Every structure is written in C-alpha cells, then in structure tokens.
Amino acid sequence: MSRQTTVTITDVAREAGVALGSVSNAFNHPDKVRPETLARIREAADRLGYAPNQSARMLAGGKNRLFGLILPSLDHGVSLQIANGANAEARKHGYGLLIATAQTDEEIAHRYRDYFMGTQTAGILMQPPAVLNWQPPAHPPRIPLAFLDIQCDVPGHFVAADNFALGELLARHAFKSGAQRVAIIGKPSLNRLVLRVKGMEHAFTTESDCAFEVVEEGAWNSAHDGLDLGRRLAERPEDTRPDFIIALTDTLATGAISGVRAAGLRVPGDIRVAGCDGNPLAWTGPVPLTTIAPIGYELGRRGVHQLIAQIEEEPEHEPENHQELVRPFLLARASTGMNRSDDFADPDIDISGYL
Amino acid sequence: MSRQTTVTITDVAREAGVALGSVSNAFNHPDKVRPETLARIREAADRLGYAPNQSARMLAGGKNRLFGLILPSLDHGVSLQIANGANAEARKHGYGLLIATAQTDEEIAHRYRDYFMGTQTAGILMQPPAVLNWQPPAHPPRIPLAFLDIQCDVPGHFVAADNFALGELLARHAFKSGAQRVAIIGKPSLNRLVLRVKGMEHAFTTESDCAFEVVEEGAWNSAHDGLDLGRRLAERPEDTRPDFIIALTDTLATGAISGVRAAGLRVPGDIRVAGCDGNPLAWTGPVPLTTIAPIGYELGRRGVHQLIAQIEEEPEHEPENHQELVRPFLLARASTGMNRSDDFADPDIDISGYL
DNA sequence: TTGAAAGCGCTAACAC
DNA sequence: GTGTTAGCGCTTTCAA
C-alpha cells in the first residue's frame, strides 16, 4: 500500500468514512467534531501517513505560526546568538522559526524574503549584511518585519545594541582601571563601529583627562591585522606606548593580544587589551578577553517581540521609526587585569553558554 | 496607493495591460514572452510591490528548490558545522536551505518535518537528537530524506563519521606517541560513543601491548565531570597513573586537562590528553587540544548529495539501507605533545574556520 | 454535528 | 506569442 505519491484530505475522509469537511475540522477545530469521529479520523490519517499540504492550507486562508529569520551567515558570533535568542522567544510564544543564511548576497536575501512573504509567514527578522550605510528596502512591508543588529532612523522596526553607550562603557573601564594613554584600534567601517568610537571619544573627553588616539587601520574583523597593530603599538618607545588598547572588535583584540606578546610585552601587565563586541568565536586566545557581554541572544528575543507587537497592534497609518536599543554590559576579565587569569579553563570562557 | 493587503498576479496583469497567463510566464518562462512585454510586466510588478504567493505556486504544481534541515540545536559544534556545510552545498547546486531547530523535542521535530513535507520542499535533512538507540520513523518518506550524524542499518539514508575508525585513529595516536597506560574516559551513552570505544579497544588489543582501561563515568558532554575525572586520574600513585587520557568528547577532554593541571601535573608533560569529536566550542582551554578534525561540515555536504541523488534517481522498489561513512582525520596539537604550544593565539584554534 | 460548494492565487495546457 | 480555463488541496461558510 501507500505506493501513491500523495495522500490528500479526501483519501482520509474516504478511509474514515466521513465527509471531507469533518477531516478538516478534526485537524483545525477538534472541538467541533464528535470525539469518536475524531478518533476514527486520526487513526485513518495515521494509517495513510497523511500530512496536510501546507501550501493548500495557507492558500485557503490559514495562518502560519512561523517566523522567518534571514542572516548573512551562521559563523559569526552575533548571528548565532540571534538565531538562538529568536528561536527561544518564538517557541515561548508558540511560534516556530525558520532560519536562512544569505551569505551577504542581497539577491539571495531577497529571495528568502519573498519566499517567507509568499508563504504567509507570520513575520520576518533580518540581520542586514555588514556594509556601511545599509538602508532598508523602500517598500513598506506587507507582513511584520524587523531588522536586527542595526541602528537606523528611517521608518521601520530596528533592534540593536546601543553602540554609543557601549563605547562609553569601555572608555570608562579604561580610565577607571588607571589607563593613561589609550589606543583605539580598527577601521570604523560600519555604522556601529563609528558609534562606538563616538561613545569612547565622548566619555574620554568629558569624563577624563586620559589621552587617547584612534588608529584607523586594518580590516574590522581580522585577527591578523590585530596582531600587526598590537605588535607595532607595543614596539613604540615607552613614553608614547599606549598602556591600554581598545579594539573595535573581539577578533581584532585577540590578534592584538598576540601582537603585544610577540613584541615581548605582557597582557595585562604592560598593556591592557579590551574587545568590543562580545564575540565568543574570538575568545580562543591565551588570555581571557575583557569585552562586552554577548548581546545577540537578546537581539533575537527583542526582534521576536517586535514582530509579535506588530501582529497584535493596529497597523500604523503613518510608518514610523521604531528603534530599540539594548543596553550593553561589560565582561571584565583577565586581559584588562580585572580578573585572575588562572591555569584552568576559565568557566567564563566556556563559550557554549553564549551561543 | 498600495494600502491593499495583497497584490495578486491579476493586479499585475491589469496594471501591465496583459493577460494573467503572460504574467505567470514572465516569471517562470521569460523566454516565452516578448521582451518588450516582459519589461512592461516586470515594471508593473515592481511598481505594485508584487511578490508571488508561494503557496499558490506550489499548489499549482511548482517545484521548490529548497531543502529543509532539522537540527536538535544550534549551539552544539556539529550542528553548526552541518548547517554551514549543507548550506554551501545546497547553494552550489542552486538550492536554498531552511534551518529549523527542535530543541531535542521530538514533537517539534515532527512538526517541522510535516511542514517541510507539506510545502513541497525538495528534501529534508535531519540530525536526530542525541539519544541512545535512536531509530528513524517507520513510514517510508514521501520526499527525499537523509539523516546526519548517525550510524544506522535499517532502510534509509544515513551519513556519519566512521566512529569505529575514529576510535582506532586515536588509539594509534596514543600508542605511537609512546603511551604505556591509557585511560579512556566518559560514559558511552550514545551509539557513536560506543563505536569509538570499540574502535579503540580493537586497535589497542590487535596492534599494541599498551595497557588501557575504560572509565565509564560522568556525563558524556560535561566539562565539569571531565575536570573531576582528570584530577582523580592525575592523583593516582605514579605506577597506576595513566600517561595518556582519551576523552570520548572534546568537552570532557578540556575539563580533563584542567583537572590534571589542578592536580599539579603538566599536559602534555606528565599526561597527554586527547579529545574525540572535533568540537570547536570546547577549544577554549589553555592547551590546544588534540582531537579529530571537525567533521560536521562534511556531513552537511554529503547529506545534500544524498538528497540530490534521491531526487535524480529512480525511486527504489525495495527500500534499502544507505549508510555513508566519512573518514575522520586527526588534528594533532599540543595536548598530546605533537605540536608546540606557543604563546600566541594558535591559528589552529581560530575556531571560526571550523564552524 | 455533518456534508456540499465556493474560492484562495497560481501554473500549465490549450486554443487563439 | 497571447489569452482562457481547469484544477492543485484545503478552509470556511452555509444548509441540512
């Protein structure tokens, strides 16, 4: 038996000896079917291996308790955290989550977006690719939509870390831990990096008399460039050498630590080093890195909230800007001397807890 | 304008002043439409913000160049690798990939499976949850289906690391590096762990006269239990103390290294330690860990191959068992003394390359 | 409670 | 090439 390609609702109805409509009710409004009939229908469905054709369901007007999440990749720390946060929160509210990765290819991202829209997904979450001055599509979306990990002031829904506050936080950590000369390294080639730098500059100039410089060099996400920068800074004569390095990303920071040590200096003994983006993937170096607590999970959670809010609220007459900012927290560890660097695997850097 | 809920193909046809069928052709068989008409249609579609209703498309008989991937979670090293491998391979063959995580909940996994089947997904890939004696569902699938990270001999398609060979590989590494007394630690509570142990036992007994014992204690994936075991083994009197520890998982191994060091012994100086499952998430300890090269990416790739093969081949009359085994490779690093443990962030443990 | 019938938006086959 | 039409499988009225 069952060498047939497709089992339809009609087959189940025939098998159970009831009308088609009753089978539909059995699945969608079980309370409207007499229990005994319901049992017979379920049993018939099982025997036949019936799985409803979702396309037909949706077409006929069903709602889909499913969100779509479009990520540029799945190997970057934040994306993974977003996926897990969004998944947990969606589940909590009775929704499922489908994740797609677009490999930073706009064309592919569009295709997934159209697919999700075209299958009556309840909402779409999207982390835009890491490009400077990214802008959301002009067309107002036809279904709930929110963008993650991006600060933006055009109409739409956006969730991101408060990168300005994040910059301030790290700057304060630097001068409170006694830094005299701070070097901020990394090219601010993304809006969020620019905001971090602004936050740092603001805190340094208004709250301290600590000297600082911005070394705008190297790719924003290259451990190799970090190593190079770290070494060069460490090799400066002692009177111009920074005693604290803030790297705009953790990857850069990890590289910088290696660079400083390659130049024969100690971290945090001679130079303290901090990262900026709570990226557990970069936490594999010999010194546990001070950085921001990973925030992606929270971004994912809040994104789902935004979606649910859009579903429940009246649609807006005038599209407005909804920017939600998540407050960052510092993770003070050995690389800035705020925590012992012991011999054991530091439980703080069991990264699996952060993914 | 466009305050309308849905834009249909009819709207586009009217807007472009052509018949409905031409719009359909414009999207699905552009070559069947006069270029000038095509341009007019595309422009109208754009202006209206038209996105085809995928449900209707599928219902009407379209094929979906999309695979579904169901994972127990996204925080375990292998799952992430699978996702990336499957994604890359799918893309290469012109398919998309939708990823869902079931949180080890069979019920939810079923729901995603039914969803994928019900949306005419071209095929489904599934990594079963980590339970002993897992078995695939009895119903022969109606669409291409393959299971990843599992060795199984019932009818169906399965892809996994060759865990027996993996065990042999590690055992050989141990006795070739001069081990006299080996302790294998971890409870073999999953089929794949059992196979690893069998492989080790086989290699030890047939190829060496090295003494070995299996310490079946602790959860299979707990760094804490690893620490405990490592410490206890290190605290044994020198004549019964192992000089080589093979942990059944990397998480256990990382813990064990800390345990050995906590007991005042050195790794690899006094005791060498190796892991077993190429899980980059566990590579955060102070000593780079010898283990198997991460294999998940390859599992994902091969899984997609299996799916494509099923799509292209004739359906089988008699369902057969197709078990594909991926050959494991050793990643020899400092924890077994096969590689220098230098001061810098070891490029080998830049885990992002393995995810 | 149940059964019959009207579409949902689209594709493909057909006639023009 | 272009336009017309018959379903795809299901949900949801509406009568019975």
Side-chain angles (χ1 to χ4, degrees):
Chain A
M1 62 155 57
S2 115
R3 200 60 246 153
Q4 177 187 351
T5 322
T6 317
V7 179
T8 77
I9 200 172
T10 316
D11 298 319
V12 178
R14 188 179 341 96
E15 179 83 9
V18 298
L20 178 161
S22 300
V23 180
S24 175
N25 276 332
F27 281 92
N28 301 299
H29 310 283
D31 47 308
K32 292 191 178 176
V33 178
R34 197 186 310 155
E36 138 201 339
T37 316
L38 196 140
R40 224 173 51 240
I41 292 175
R42 283 220 229 271
E43 197 227 329
D46 259 24
R47 189 165 49 236
L48 262 35
Y50 169 68
N53 181 319
Q54 299 296 333
S55 303
R57 294 189 93 186
M58 291 305 98
L59 225 208
K63 279 280 136 232
N64 224 347
R65 302 219 15 122
L66 210 48
F67 292 128
L69 171 62
I70 303 172
L71 262 18
S73 75
L74 219 42
D75 55 7
H76 180 43
V78 175
S79 298
L80 199 53
Q81 297 160 24
I82 289 176
N84 282 307
N87 197 61
E89 196 65 17
R91 169 96 83 260
K92 199 166 106 187
H93 292 271
Y95 286 84
L97 183 74
L98 257 24
I99 305 165
T101 64
Q103 265 20 93
T104 71
D105 181 329
E106 284 277 344
E107 159 67 17
I108 292 174
H110 272 61
R111 214 141 62 203
Y112 282 122
R113 183 173 54 73
D114 282 355
Y115 179 81
F116 284 137
M117 294 192 45
T119 48
Q120 285 66 259
T121 297
I124 300 179
L125 247 30
M126 182 165 171
Q127 182 193 12
V131 296
L132 191 60
N133 287 321
W134 174 89
Q135 292 291 320
H139 256 296
R142 202 160 287 111
I143 67 173
L145 175 63
F147 296 95
L148 304 178
D149 198 26
I150 194 103
Q151 288 181 251
C152 199
D153 52 17
V154 305
H157 295 252
F158 307 91
V159 184
D162 185 339
N163 283 289
F164 187 88
L166 192 160
E168 292 183 310
L169 204 59
L170 275 163
R172 285 190 198 114
H173 178 70
F175 61 72
K176 280 189 181 161
S177 76
Q180 301 289 321
R181 267 192 307 279
V182 177
I184 300 165
I185 64 170
K187 200 188 295 288
S189 51
L190 297 172
N191 292 334
R192 80 180 71 114
L193 303 186
V194 173
L195 286 166
R196 284 174 200 173
V197 174
K198 283 192 180 150
M200 291 175 203
E201 289 175 339
H202 182 258
F204 278 127
T205 42
T206 65
E207 302 174 25
S208 85
D209 50 3
C210 174
F212 72 93
E213 61 184 309
V214 184
V215 185
E216 296 195 8
E217 287 177 38
W220 66 282
N221 205 22
S222 151
H224 191 85
D225 288 350
L227 189 143
D228 207 53
L229 285 164
R231 175 161 22 202
R232 277 165 41 205
L233 290 172
E235 282 170 350
R236 283 191 191 171
E238 199 173 337
D239 58 330
T240 64
R241 183 207 298 157
D243 54 5
F244 201 113
I245 296 176
I246 304 179
L248 289 185
T249 64
D250 284 10
T251 309
L252 227 36
T254 303
I257 290 177
S258 298
V260 169
R261 293 166 67 128
L265 263 42
R266 286 166 310 142
V267 175
D270 300 304
I271 301 184
R272 295 160 195 258
V273 179
C276 255
D277 54 4
N279 176 2
L281 293 190
W283 299 350
T284 50
V287 183
L289 181 69
T290 289
T291 182
I292 292 300
I295 209 164
Y297 193 88
E298 189 60 20
L299 296 181
R301 282 175 24 90
R302 306 255 190 132
V304 166
H305 278 164
Q306 295 258 3
L307 254 26
I308 291 175
Q310 290 181 55
I311 291 170
E312 290 174 352
E313 283 162 20
E314 296 290 297
E316 315 180 324
H317 358 285
E318 282 311 307
E320 287 171 33
N321 173 261
H322 302 258
Q323 171 77 65
E324 186 169 357
L325 292 179
V326 179
R327 183 176 154 209
F329 290 93
L330 196 72
L331 217 50
R333 297 199 289 215
S335 74
T336 56
M338 305 302 276
N339 200 344
R340 85 264 168 260
S341 158
D342 61 37
D343 214 6
F344 317 124
D346 186 335
D348 279 354
I349 60 170
D350 172 8
I351 68 174
S352 56
Y354 287 111
L355 294 182
Chain B
M1 63 154 59
S2 110
R3 201 60 242 153
Q4 178 188 354
T5 322
T6 318
V7 179
T8 75
I9 200 173
T10 317
D11 299 319
V12 178
R14 190 179 341 96
E15 179 83 9
V18 300
L20 180 160
S22 299
V23 179
S24 175
N25 276 332
F27 282 91
N28 301 299
H29 309 284
D31 47 308
K32 292 192 177 175
V33 177
R34 196 187 310 156
E36 141 202 338
T37 316
L38 196 140
R40 223 171 54 240
I41 292 174
R42 281 220 230 270
E43 197 227 330
D46 259 24
R47 191 165 46 236
L48 263 33
Y50 168 69
N53 182 320
Q54 300 294 335
S55 304
R57 292 189 96 185
M58 289 306 98
L59 227 207
K63 280 278 138 235
N64 225 347
R65 303 224 8 128
L66 209 48
F67 292 128
L69 171 62
I70 303 173
L71 262 16
S73 75
L74 220 42
D75 55 7
H76 182 44
V78 175
S79 298
L80 200 53
Q81 297 161 23
I82 288 176
N84 282 308
N87 197 62
E89 195 65 16
R91 168 95 84 262
K92 199 166 107 185
H93 292 271
Y95 286 84
L97 182 75
L98 257 23
I99 305 165
T101 66
Q103 260 30 85
T104 71
D105 180 330
E106 284 276 344
E107 158 69 17
I108 293 175
H110 272 62
R111 216 142 59 206
Y112 281 121
R113 183 174 52 73
D114 281 356
Y115 179 82
F116 284 138
M117 291 191 48
T119 47
Q120 285 66 257
T121 297
I124 300 179
L125 247 29
M126 183 164 170
Q127 183 194 11
V131 295
L132 192 59
N133 287 323
W134 174 90
Q135 291 290 321
H139 255 298
R142 204 161 284 110
I143 65 173
L145 174 64
F147 296 96
L148 305 179
D149 198 25
I150 193 101
Q151 287 181 254
C152 200
D153 53 17
V154 304
H157 294 253
F158 306 91
V159 184
D162 185 338
N163 282 288
F164 187 88
L166 192 160
E168 290 184 311
L169 205 57
L170 274 162
R172 284 189 199 117
H173 178 68
F175 62 72
K176 281 191 181 160
S177 75
Q180 300 290 320
R181 267 192 307 279
V182 177
I184 299 166
I185 63 169
K187 200 189 294 289
S189 52
L190 297 173
N191 292 337
R192 79 181 74 113
L193 303 187
V194 173
L195 286 166
R196 284 174 201 173
V197 174
K198 284 192 179 148
M200 291 174 203
E201 291 175 339
H202 181 260
F204 279 128
T205 41
T206 65
E207 302 175 25
S208 84
D209 50 3
C210 174
F212 72 95
E213 61 182 311
V214 185
V215 185
E216 296 196 8
E217 287 178 39
W220 66 282
N221 204 22
S222 153
H224 190 85
D225 288 350
L227 189 141
D228 209 51
L229 285 164
R231 173 155 30 198
R232 278 165 41 206
L233 290 173
E235 281 169 351
R236 284 190 187 171
E238 199 173 337
D239 58 330
T240 64
R241 182 206 298 156
D243 54 6
F244 202 112
I245 297 176
I246 303 180
L248 288 185
T249 64
D250 285 9
T251 309
L252 226 37
T254 304
I257 290 178
S258 298
V260 169
R261 294 165 66 128
L265 262 43
R266 287 166 307 142
V267 175
D270 299 305
I271 302 184
R272 297 160 195 257
V273 179
C276 257
D277 55 3
N279 175 2
L281 293 189
W283 299 350
T284 50
V287 183
L289 181 70
T290 289
T291 182
I292 291 299
I295 210 164
Y297 193 89
E298 189 61 20
L299 296 181
R301 282 174 26 90
R302 306 256 190 130
V304 166
H305 277 164
Q306 296 257 2
L307 255 25
I308 291 175
Q310 289 182 56
I311 292 171
E312 291 173 351
E313 283 163 18
E314 296 290 297
E316 315 179 323
H317 0 284
E318 283 311 308
E320 288 172 32
N321 173 261
H322 304 258
Q323 171 77 66
E324 185 168 359
L325 291 180
V326 180
R327 183 175 156 209
F329 290 94
L330 196 72
L331 217 50
R333 298 200 290 216
S335 74
T336 56
M338 305 303 277
N339 199 344
R340 86 266 166 257
S341 158
D342 62 37
D343 213 6
F344 317 124
D346 185 335
D348 278 354
I349 61 169
D350 171 8
I351 68 174
S352 55
Y354 286 113
L355 295 180

